[in-house]
Structure formats: C-alpha cells, structure tokens
C-alpha cells in the first residue's frame, strides 16, 4: 500500500497516473482521498465560502480506512464518487476498485492520520513550490471545478494555505520518499516504478516484510529443491543437494553483513576498489538440523566460532531451552542463526530471545533457512523487525502437526541418516 500526499495541485494525481501508466500492470489500482469528502448539508452549502475543505474533518476517514482495509485483505470495494462542483458525494457503490497487489492512495492528508499511515508500506510526499501550486490550482479549478479566480484566491488565503501549514506540511516528516517538482521529476517516478516492478515480482510476504529475503530462484535451485523434497531421493543424494543449497543460503546470508571499503593493488599494478569482510562474526546452530549448516559456514568463513542451542518442543505447545553453548563475546558479534526449516517459528522465537538476552543486538542477527512456512515468517518478521530472515523458498503452509507443507520431511533424520 503506497500513500502519496502533498499540497493542493502539487501533482499528486499526475504523479500517480504517470506511475500507473508506466507500470502497465492490472495489479495496481488508485484510490483518491477526494472520493471520501463528506457531502455538504443544505445549510453548509448556503455558506460554502465558510467551509474548510482542507481540514481533516472534511473527509470521512472511517469509510476510507474501512475501504483500505478491505483492499488490504485482497477484496474489491466500491468507493464513493465526489463531485467538486456540487460538493456532494455520489454515494458508496459508485466507483468499483478491484483487488490488487499494489494499492496507491493519493490525497492532501493521507499522511496526516496515524491510522491511515499505519496501513501504508510506502509513503511519498510530492513537494512542489507553493507559487506554482497556486498558479496551477487557479487554472485547474477555473477550468475543471467550476470556480472563478477570485473564489479560488479567497479560499486559498482563508483555508487552503493555513491548513497546508497546519496539517499537510507537518506530515511530510512521515514520508519515505519526497518527490520535488512532482510529475516533472522523471527520475523519481522511474525509481518508484522500478521499485513497484520488483515488489510485484516478489513473494507476497516479501512485500510486507522488508526483513525477509528469498533468493532469486533459477532452474538449478528449483532442481535442487525438487531433489531434496522428493521422498524417493536417497540419503546420499539428499545430503549432496541439501549441502549445495545450504552453501548458497550461507553465501547469500554473508552478503547481508556490513563491510568496509579497501583499495588494493593488483599484480598488474592497478588499483582495485575492494571491500573487507565483516570480522566479528559467529554461527549458532539450532540442534540437530541446524548442525547440517555448520560445514557450509566453516567452508565460507575460515575459523568461524559456532555456538549451539537445543530447544525441546512439544506439539503445539511452547518451546523450552534445554542447552546452550555460545561464544562468551557473542554480544559484540554478528550472528548467523542456522536452522534449515522455519515452521511455526516457536523454536526460532526461543533461540532469538536467548541471543537477545545475551546482549546480541536484534539487527546483528541473520536467520538462515532452506525453507520457511508463512506462519513462521509472520511470527519472526513481526516480532523481530530488525532481524533478517533469509530463505531459499517459502512453502505453502503447516499441517496440524506443525510440519511444513509441501516441505521435505524430517530434515535432520534425512540428513544424518537416522530415518
Ligand atoms: N509537471 C506539471 N506541469 C504542468 N502542469 C502540471 C504538472 N503537474 C500537474 N500539472 C497540472 O496542475 C494541476 C494540478 O495537478 P494535480 O496532479 O491534479 O495535483 P494534485 O492532485 O496534487 O492536486 C492539474 O491541472 C495538472 O494538469
Ligand atoms: N468541494 C471541494 C472539495 C475540495 N476542494 C479542494 O480540493 C483540494 C484537494 O484536491 P487536490 O486534488 O488539489 O489535492 C483541497 O485543497 C480543497 O481545498 C474544493 O475546493 N472543493
Ligand atoms: Mg488530485
């Protein structure tokens, strides 16, 4: 959900239309906050010059919230249609908005209300010079909204500008992106279009959780998954292909560590602008299946310290920490937490909580899995928003026994040959 705010005539509608036309994708829809203006009563209509259309109370924000929540659930809504000439809402049911992967909400005050802001995954503020906005507003409102110039200027001085200063401008601080010059800013629009393209290509959960990373799937990776998930695969082949995949997950995880820049001289005497690996690092495996990932980590990081955690779990019940052996200086290290399967997330919560209690900053933890169930992802990514979850595939669900479906069976038994 993307919110686009900004002063009147800053170019919000223009920017949104440009984004949508460049995307060429039916999975994107536009909702205008204007549609949620309250209709004026006959009394208010008589004194329309005294009515402040730029105050938050001019909008039916409850209805807007309910429509946005419906769209967020992936259902269609019918929004009202507003007539700027008569100041009347044509009523609910007049404008159908189809369910979509990306919903863009634009309007002067979409970043003002905290409840609306909380629904938005990306917040944009269109920042256009106020003289230019007034000039555009005069032109637009006289041509499209049935006003005369004096009328526009009076309304602007009495309500539009004071409300901009009181409600709209202060909401700019909530924006993730500020677009100067509105629709003229081709670079900004292009970047936003590219970002939305990327999101559309991602798994739905990655659109919600910025701390979830699923690495790009190729036929090679798909082939390895096919082999390790196949119940007919021998233990020997299971270990071989699981190791290949684990190595990829570990390498991808290491790519998320901080680095420092270092220039070196190559044997040809040339300068190479390089980087240095992060040094304060350790692995922590969740016994028993996490131990299958230790070799790959050792192969990538020479001499790395690896701690262990054993968590006992009853079906559907909470988990209990049984054993832990962690480096004494773990709080000053980046931690790669190893467990090939993220199922309900209960064990992972226990493991991460232990690391946090040892003083490891949440943002220093990278949780590496081969496969992850949506339930576990919701639990971990929500509870620990600064931790990164890295996985090679997201599965469909969990069954009643909390097994990942389609999954790959008991990982540790298949890997260590104990099945
Ligand atoms: N970059 C631009 N150059 C010229 N005119 C513009 C530009 N962006 C918007 N306009 C015009 O200015 C007016 C206000 O733009 P609009 O996108 O409706 O702003 P908002 O939705 O923020 O009120 C419209 O008539 C529009 O055609
Ligand atoms: N009946 C109305 C309703 C709203 N306005 C003005 O519209 C502006 C919001 O729309 P933008 O496209 O410009 O963002 C707002 O500033 C209101 O003053 C109106 O004039 N009459
Ligand atoms: Mg507009």
């Amino acid at each position: 959900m993307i919110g686009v705010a900004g002063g009147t005539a800053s170019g919000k509608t223009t920017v949104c239309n440009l984004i949508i036309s460049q995307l060429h994708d039916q999975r994107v829809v536009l909702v205008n906050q204007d549609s949620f203006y309250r209709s004026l009563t006959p009394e208010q209509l008589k004194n329309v010059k005294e009515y402040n259309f730029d105050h938050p109370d001019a909008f039916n924000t409850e209805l807007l919230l309910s429509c946005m929540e419906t769209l967020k659930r992936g259902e269609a809504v019918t929004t009202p249609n507003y007539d700027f000439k008569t100041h009347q809402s044509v009523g609910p049911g007049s404008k159908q908005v189809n369910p979509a992967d990306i919903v863009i909400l634009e309007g002067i005050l979409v970043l003002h209300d905290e409840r609306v802001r909380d629904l938005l995954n990306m917040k944009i503020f269109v920042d256009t010079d106020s003289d230019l906005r007034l000039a555009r507003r005069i032109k637009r409102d006289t041509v499209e909204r049935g006003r005369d110039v004096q009328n526009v200027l009076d309304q602007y001085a009495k309500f539009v500008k004071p409300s901009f200063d009181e409600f709209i401008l202060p909401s700019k601080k909530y924006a993730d992106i500020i677009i100067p010059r509105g629709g003229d800013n081709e670079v900004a629009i292009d970047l936003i279009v590219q970002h939305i393209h990327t999101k559309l290509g991602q798994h739905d959960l990655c659109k919600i959780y910025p701390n979830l990373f699923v690495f790009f799937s190729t036929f090679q990776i798909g082939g390895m998954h096919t082999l390790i998930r196949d119940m007919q695969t021998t233990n020997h082949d299971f270990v071989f292909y699981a190791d290949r995949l684990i190595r990829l997950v570990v390498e991808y995880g290491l790519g998320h560590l901080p680095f420092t820049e270092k220039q070196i001289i190559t044997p040809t005497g040339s300068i190479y602008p390089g980087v240095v690996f992060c040094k304060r690092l350790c692995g922590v495996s969740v016994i028993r299946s996490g131990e299958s990932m230790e070799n790959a980590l050792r192969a990538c990081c020479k001499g790395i310290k690896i701690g262990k955690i054993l968590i006992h779990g009853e079906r559907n019940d909470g988990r209990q920490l049984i054993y832990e052996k962690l480096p004494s200086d773990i709080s000053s290290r980046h931690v790669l937490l190893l467990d090939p399967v993220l199922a309900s997330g209960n064990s992972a919560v226990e493991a991460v909580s232990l690391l946090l209690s040892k003083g490891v900053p949440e943002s220093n933890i990278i949780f590496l899995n081969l496969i992850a169930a949506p339930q576990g992802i919701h639990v971990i990514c929500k509870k620990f928003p600064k931790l990164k979850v890295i996985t090679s595939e997201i599965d469909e669900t969990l069954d009643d026994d909390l097994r990942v479906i389609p999954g790959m069976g008991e990982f540790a038994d298949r890997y260590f040959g104990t099945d």
Side-chain angles (χ1 to χ4, degrees):
M1 296 222 147
I2 303 174
V4 181
T8 182
S10 55
K12 301 179 293 296
T13 309
T14 307
V15 162
C16 293
N17 288 337
L18 282 169
I19 291 173
I20 288 172
S21 71
Q22 287 182 24
L23 274 168
H24 268 300
D25 200 305
Q26 289 174 342
R27 290 174 295 170
V28 184
V29 291
L30 180 63
V31 176
N32 306 91
Q33 190 184 26
D34 297 344
S35 307
F36 297 86
Y37 265 118
R38 296 182 196 278
S39 291
L40 294 201
T41 61
E43 203 55 40
Q44 288 167 329
L45 267 177
K46 272 189 228 153
N47 296 307
V48 68
K49 287 185 179 160
E50 299 305 314
Y51 192 87
N52 186 354
F53 291 102
D54 294 75
H55 191 279
D57 292 347
F59 295 93
N60 184 346
T61 303
E62 272 64 39
L63 184 61
L64 169 73
L65 280 165
S66 114
C67 286
M68 292 299 282
E69 275 153 9
T70 308
L71 285 168
K72 197 150 192 155
R73 286 196 302 272
E75 296 163 27
V77 285
T78 36
T79 63
N81 211 351
Y82 187 73
D83 185 342
F84 284 93
K85 288 184 181 154
T86 60
H87 315 289
Q88 297 296 311
S89 170
V90 183
S94 46
K95 207 155 90 183
Q96 160 105 12
V97 183
N98 291 326
D101 288 343
I102 306 269
V103 179
I104 306 180
L105 170 67
E106 69 94 9
I108 50 173
L109 287 165
V110 300
L111 297 186
H112 167 73
D113 191 301
E114 190 180 357
R115 296 165 302 165
V116 181
R117 280 201 308 273
D118 286 348
L119 285 171
L120 302 171
N121 305 103
M122 190 204 276
K123 303 178 202 74
I124 298 173
F125 190 93
V126 182
D127 200 8
T128 304
D129 171 75
S130 51
D131 293 346
L132 195 53
R133 288 195 294 105
L134 176 58
R136 284 182 189 163
R137 170 123 176 189
I138 294 170
K139 202 166 157 193
R140 182 193 64 189
D141 285 11
T142 49
V143 174
E144 294 171 22
R145 295 187 181 176
R147 314 289 158 86
D148 60 47
V149 176
Q150 192 55 49
N151 183 250
V152 177
L153 291 176
D154 289 347
Q155 187 190 359
Y156 191 86
K158 191 161 188 182
F159 295 120
V160 180
K161 185 172 162 33
S163 292
F164 176 78
D165 293 336
E166 186 176 354
F167 304 113
I168 303 171
L169 193 55
S171 74
K172 184 171 150 183
K173 63 175 172 286
Y174 300 113
D176 305 305
I177 301 166
I178 294 166
I179 309 184
R181 305 182 307 283
D184 288 337
N185 196 331
E186 285 173 24
V187 175
I189 290 167
D190 187 44
L191 283 170
I192 293 165
V193 168
Q194 279 181 36
H195 180 78
I196 297 175
H197 261 310
T198 311
K199 290 278 170 195
L200 284 169
Q202 282 177 342
H203 191 284
D204 282 351
L205 289 172
C206 297
K207 292 174 198 152
I208 307 172
Y209 298 116
N211 55 337
L212 172 67
F213 301 87
V214 186
F215 61 69
F216 184 72
S217 189
T218 61
F219 287 123
Q220 277 296 307
I221 292 168
M224 288 185 253
H225 268 281
T226 309
L227 276 153
I228 62 169
R229 289 167 182 276
D230 187 343
M231 62 183 290
Q232 310 249 324
T233 297
T234 61
N235 281 106
H236 184 269
D237 280 357
F238 181 85
V239 172
F240 182 83
Y241 291 106
D243 279 347
R244 267 188 72 187
L245 268 176
I246 289 167
R247 180 73 182 248
L248 291 175
V249 173
V250 168
E251 289 281 10
Y252 189 74
L254 293 171
H256 284 260
L257 290 168
F259 60 85
T260 42
E261 289 175 8
K262 184 183 180 186
Q263 253 188 18
I264 51 105
I265 309 291
T266 70
T268 64
S270 319
I271 294 174
Y272 177 80
V275 291
V276 187
F277 296 139
C278 163
K279 293 209 174 65
R280 304 286 303 162
L281 190 63
C282 76
V284 171
S285 56
V286 179
I287 299 172
R288 198 166 48 121
S289 53
E291 291 174 304
S292 65
M293 302 174 82
E294 292 179 4
N295 281 344
L297 187 56
R298 285 201 182 90
C300 295
C301 310
K302 245 188 320 169
I304 187 170
K305 288 190 177 184
I306 299 186
K308 291 183 193 280
I309 300 178
L310 176 62
I311 293 155
H312 178 66
E314 294 292 334
R315 186 179 163 273
N316 283 331
D317 289 344
R319 302 290 203 261
Q320 200 192 342
L321 178 71
I322 303 290
Y323 168 82
E324 47 116 329
K325 188 158 174 52
L326 301 171
S328 55
D329 57 354
I330 192 162
S331 62
S332 61
R333 292 176 182 270
H334 285 263
V335 178
L336 293 157
L337 181 61
L338 311 173
D339 195 344
V341 181
L342 169 59
S344 67
N346 292 337
S347 304
V349 168
E350 197 64 39
V352 174
S353 304
L354 174 70
L355 296 176
L356 298 178
S357 74
K358 298 282 176 192
V360 180
E362 192 180 305
S363 54
N364 277 12
I365 305 172
I366 300 180
F367 185 26
L368 303 181
N369 320 127
L370 276 191
I371 63 170
Q375 289 88 336
I377 290 172
H378 283 299
V379 169
I380 299 299
C381 291
K382 229 184 252 170
K383 195 169 170 68
F384 307 112
K386 291 187 195 141
L387 162 154
K388 288 183 178 141
V389 175
I390 289 177
T391 189
S392 68
E393 268 190 4
I394 297 178
D395 278 43
E396 276 163 34
T397 189
L398 295 179
D399 68 9
D400 292 343
D401 293 319
L402 301 185
R403 291 184 314 171
V404 179
I405 302 297
M408 53 186 162
E410 271 304 316
F411 185 90
D413 284 341
R414 294 185 74 190
Y415 192 91
F416 296 113
T418 48
D419 57 346

